[in-house]
Amino acid sequence: MPAAPTTPNESKRLAALRSYNILDTATEEDFDELTELASAICSTPIALISFVDKDRQWFKSRHGLDVSETDRALSFCAHAINSPTEILEVENAKEDKRFMDNELVTGPMDITFYAGVPLVDVSGAALGSLCVIDSVQHKLNTIQRKALKILARQVIDKLELRRKVVELDNTRTRIQRLNELLVAKEREATQIIEHTPTAMALHIGEDMEIRFANKMMLGAWGKDERVFGMNFKDALPELDKLDFPTTMRQVYRKGIHYEQKEAHMLYMHYGKLKEFYYNYAFTPLKLSDGSVWGVLNTAVDVTDIVKSRIAVERAEEQLRLAVQSAQLGTWSINADTYEFDASERTKELFGFLPDEVITYEAAVNQITEEYRDKVKKTVEAAIKENRGFDMEYAITGLHNGKLRWVRATGKLYSSGDGKAAQFSGTLSDITERKQDEQRKNDFIGMVSHELKTPLTSMKGYLQIIGQRANKLGDVPIADFTKKTQRQADKMQALVTGFLDVARITEGKIHLNNDVFDINDVMRAAEDELRVNCKGAHITFRLCDSLLINGDKDKMEQVLINFINNAIKYSADEPEVTITCSKDGDNALVIVSDRGIGIPAADIPYIFDRFYRVENTHVKMISGFGIGLYICKEIIEHHGGTIGVKSEPGKGSDFWFSVPLSK
Ligand code: ADP
């Protein structure tokens, strides 16, 4: 038996069949009712709804048959679909050449009668057939044929309906998924808006109804969610003066973005008048056709930034004025390249013209030889070690050759943005002060010198008077002479001190260079003080022999100065301990007292010339503030260091350390 030829538009037909998603689905009552009806109407035991697949025919409903599918080559329906508009009616297949040797006819199925109406869908595709089958010969009457056709249409209708239901179901699932997606997106968007560091609000309509505002915006307004749904003007009367709704309305009408930077605002915020600076923007929100449906209001509070910038600008202006009025020069050195940037005043102090370029080297060249190297080294060390810089030195002006004294102070400022640090500071003209000091020094030096000779002869005469009074047994005169001698000694110490200062400032300090034991210095001081300081408890703790190079008398002068101060700045019964020890390659001498001590603020200046602590204790004690200055100069000329550790009310430890002889 020849198999039915495939339909002319087979691939389209198969695609249509697949689109119903019907193949291999479970039986459905709706379809089974139709086959039952067909079988009853046509009085056949078997009725089938058969779909012709690529290589098989598959039965969606099979009334009176157990088999669910057969080979397409055996299929009667495959024949039926080739004439989609007609019923294929085979009264006796056993006598029909097309089917007589068909397995379904000759085999156990024993088909004799077959009538099939093609199932043609709206697109014209013949999907299969509704057929009735019997093992005995039949002939359908007109009513039966018509009924079969009606039932076939019903099958198609159900098929369409089924597809629509499936489509509807799919659409519903899709919508549901979209909805879930939408809800998730909205949740994400809300969270982003809530947590963004920008204040945000959404306004709708001509009156700028507040549709939504995040926490930042509510905070900026000083409001809560009760303003949602209100018109801007009604919700925020505090901002009336700033008239935002008018600007927003323009944005809404014209669809043009509007923004302001660092806008200054003054308004009542949580009941208090406050000042703010905001960067804010009104952005039109548009539909795809370009029409505006709302205005997005975004704002960033830049109050702190603007206020600190204003403060910096103000401070800079004040500094500029101060620098100007104090006639200070300013300068800056690039810490990497030593590129030098100098103000006009700095150039003037170095003797340069205002429009002349001044390099670091050119500036250094104008420093007098005496200071040049020291300034260079100190600048370099300050940059390298990030230390402050404060130096006084002399300059010879480039064009005018004028000698000036200047004080330069500076500090290293790191740029913080990866650029080289700048070492910058100020320069002030201290020529006048220096000249004053010079005059004072000259005067002190001259007066001290002039006093020295009369004082020496006065002391000589006093000695003779004393001896005479003793010889004559004139006790009162002998006593007065002793007292006068003591005063003359004090005066002589003072004059010697002033002469030392004058010598130091002129760089004329002279040191002997002997090798001596530091213990000998201690012993000499002890002898001297045994005579002069009877009331004090002074303890000397000698050490193993420590040899040093230098001037023994000057070293003794330092030690006696320390001890005299320890006694001078202590209460009635001074307790002073003097110790010496080896400290590395140095000899260390410490003079400890339990006296009035020194405030921390005074300690850095205590070795300066003419410096005295300003308090009532010290005022009662005579002195000129030159002793420690001289001590420092002597110790430093020995290559040593000097210092003090002190606590007010508890006492002081004055110390010096000098290198051991090699
Ligand atoms: P003078 O004692 O003549 O004022 P010095 O240069 O010796 O000058 O001392 C400077 C200042 O240091 C003193 O005026 C005093 O204020 C303070 N000082 C020095 N030694 C001591 C000390 N042992 N205890 C407390 N203060 C001291």
Side-chain angles (χ1 to χ4, degrees), residues 48-77:
L48 305 168
I49 294 171
S50 157
F51 292 108
V52 180
D53 198 1
K54 189 165 169 269
D55 298 314
R56 60 170 183 164
Q57 67 170 342
W58 178 82
F59 308 127
K60 172 65 184 171
S61 176
R62 42 194 155 84
H63 180 80
L65 186 72
D66 286 337
V67 191
S68 62
E69 60 177 45
T70 69
D71 205 329
R72 178 168 174 170
L74 304 174
S75 169
F76 280 64
C77 298

Side-chain angles (χ1 to χ4, degrees), residues 561 565-566 568-569 593 596-598 606 611-613 618 623-628 652 654:
N561 207 310
N565 278 353
K568 220 159 81 165
Y569 298 106
D593 65 56
I596 60 171
I598 303 160
I606 210 81
Y611 192 86
R612 302 201 76 211
V613 173
V618 176
F624 282 94
I626 55 170
L628 291 181
S652 312
F654 275 88

Side-chain angles (χ1 to χ4, degrees), residues 305-506:
I305 299 170
V306 174
K307 281 193 173 168
S308 38
R309 202 193 52 228
I310 291 173
V312 169
E313 281 167 3
R314 244 179 239 154
E316 273 174 1
E317 178 60 13
Q318 279 167 356
L319 183 70
R320 205 181 52 75
L321 288 175
V323 164
Q324 215 173 37
S325 62
Q327 288 209 304
L328 291 179
T330 56
W331 50 268
S332 181
I333 300 170
N334 181 307
D336 286 349
T337 60
Y338 278 71
E339 211 174 300
F340 191 55
D341 188 21
S343 71
E344 269 187 26
R345 175 69 177 149
T346 300
K347 286 183 190 174
E348 186 190 340
L349 293 175
F350 277 91
F352 281 67
L353 299 174
D355 52 358
E356 258 176 332
V357 175
I358 175 167
T359 62
Y360 174 68
E361 288 74 20
V364 168
N365 267 340
Q366 297 316 121
I367 298 173
T368 56
E369 218 178 316
E370 191 186 353
Y371 291 97
R372 195 176 301 143
D373 273 352
K374 203 171 173 202
V375 173
K376 247 180 108 171
K377 276 189 192 135
T378 319
V379 166
E380 279 156 29
I383 291 178
K384 219 163 148 194
E385 291 154 29
N386 193 0
R387 271 197 271 124
F389 173 83
D390 189 344
M391 267 189 96
E392 293 181 357
Y393 53 89
I395 292 174
T396 319
L398 175 71
H399 294 303
N400 50 22
K402 194 170 160 186
L403 184 83
R404 278 188 210 259
W405 277 91
V406 291
R407 179 179 175 194
T409 52
K411 204 179 154 213
L412 193 68
Y413 295 91
S414 58
S415 68
D417 57 4
K419 285 195 206 136
Q422 290 290 327
F423 183 61
S424 16
T426 57
L427 194 70
S428 54
D429 187 349
I430 54 162
T431 311
E432 246 175 65
R433 198 193 83 203
K434 278 284 180 185
Q435 282 168 349
D436 269 357
E437 268 174 27
Q438 187 58 47
R439 279 192 285 272
K440 202 156 77 185
N441 279 340
D442 290 350
F443 178 73
I444 291 172
M446 192 227 358
V447 170
S448 310
H449 192 76
E450 292 305 317
L451 283 176
K452 207 177 154 192
T453 321
L455 201 59
T456 313
S457 37
M458 209 167 93
K459 278 184 72 177
Y461 289 126
L462 278 173
Q463 209 172 358
I464 296 168
I465 295 170
Q467 282 165 357
R468 286 271 170 92
N470 280 336
K471 225 184 227 172
L472 295 170
D474 190 335
V475 178
I477 293 292
D479 193 37
F480 290 152
T481 312
K482 227 181 219 165
K483 282 182 180 152
T484 315
Q485 260 173 334
R486 229 175 287 139
Q487 295 304 322
D489 282 346
K490 273 191 189 171
M491 223 164 133
Q492 195 181 30
L494 214 61
V495 166
T496 315
F498 282 137
L499 278 173
D500 281 347
V501 171
R503 264 185 223 124
I504 289 166
T505 34
E506 279 165 26

Side-chain angles (χ1 to χ4, degrees), residues 158-182:
K158 283 209 188 306
L159 221 51
E160 288 291 345
L161 199 71
R162 202 178 162 283
R163 183 160 71 176
K164 291 226 163 84
V165 169
V166 170
E167 272 173 10
L168 213 66
D169 234 36
N170 286 346
T171 311
R172 212 183 19 237
T173 319
R174 251 199 334 269
I175 289 175
Q176 203 172 342
R177 223 174 294 136
L178 277 174
N179 247 334
E180 282 166 12
L181 216 70
L182 220 63

Side-chain angles (χ1 to χ4, degrees), residues 494 561-570 591-599 602 605-615 617-619 621-631 644 646 651-654:
L494 214 61
N561 207 310
F562 276 8
I563 300 169
N564 277 333
N565 278 353
I567 297 166
K568 220 159 81 165
Y569 298 106
S570 288
V591 177
S592 308
D593 65 56
R594 301 214 181 138
I596 60 171
I598 303 160
D602 291 292
Y605 311 103
I606 210 81
F607 295 97
D608 285 359
R609 195 163 38 151
F610 304 122
Y611 192 86
R612 302 201 76 211
V613 173
E614 283 273 328
N615 66 31
H617 283 301
V618 176
K619 267 198 190 130
I621 303 162
S622 66
F624 282 94
I626 55 170
L628 291 181
Y629 168 70
I630 295 167
C631 292
V644 62
S646 183
S652 312
D653 284 353
F654 275 88

Side-chain angles (χ1 to χ4, degrees), residues 233-347:
K233 226 171 147 34
D234 299 336
L236 293 151
E238 301 88 338
L239 302 182
D240 258 5
K241 274 203 186 127
L242 300 165
D243 202 14
F244 289 128
T246 307
T247 319
M248 282 198 257
R249 212 167 292 125
Q250 293 293 328
V251 172
Y252 187 71
R253 286 181 188 158
K254 295 185 180 163
I256 298 169
H257 176 86
Y258 174 88
E259 65 177 44
Q260 281 282 312
K261 290 258 178 298
E262 298 183 0
H264 179 249
M265 299 179 197
L266 194 68
Y267 59 86
M268 294 298 284
H269 188 254
Y270 292 117
K272 269 192 195 153
L273 189 66
K274 275 186 84 175
E275 185 183 39
F276 294 97
Y277 288 89
Y278 272 103
N279 287 350
Y280 72 90
F282 299 141
T283 311
L285 300 172
K286 296 179 184 176
L287 294 174
S288 52
D289 65 359
S291 59
V292 179
W293 63 271
V295 174
L296 180 68
N297 170 3
T298 50
V300 178
D301 184 352
V302 288
T303 311
D304 289 347
I305 299 170
V306 174
K307 281 193 173 168
S308 38
R309 202 193 52 228
I310 291 173
V312 169
E313 281 167 3
R314 244 179 239 154
E316 273 174 1
E317 178 60 13
Q318 279 167 356
L319 183 70
R320 205 181 52 75
L321 288 175
V323 164
Q324 215 173 37
S325 62
Q327 288 209 304
L328 291 179
T330 56
W331 50 268
S332 181
I333 300 170
N334 181 307
D336 286 349
T337 60
Y338 278 71
E339 211 174 300
F340 191 55
D341 188 21
S343 71
E344 269 187 26
R345 175 69 177 149
T346 300
K347 286 183 190 174

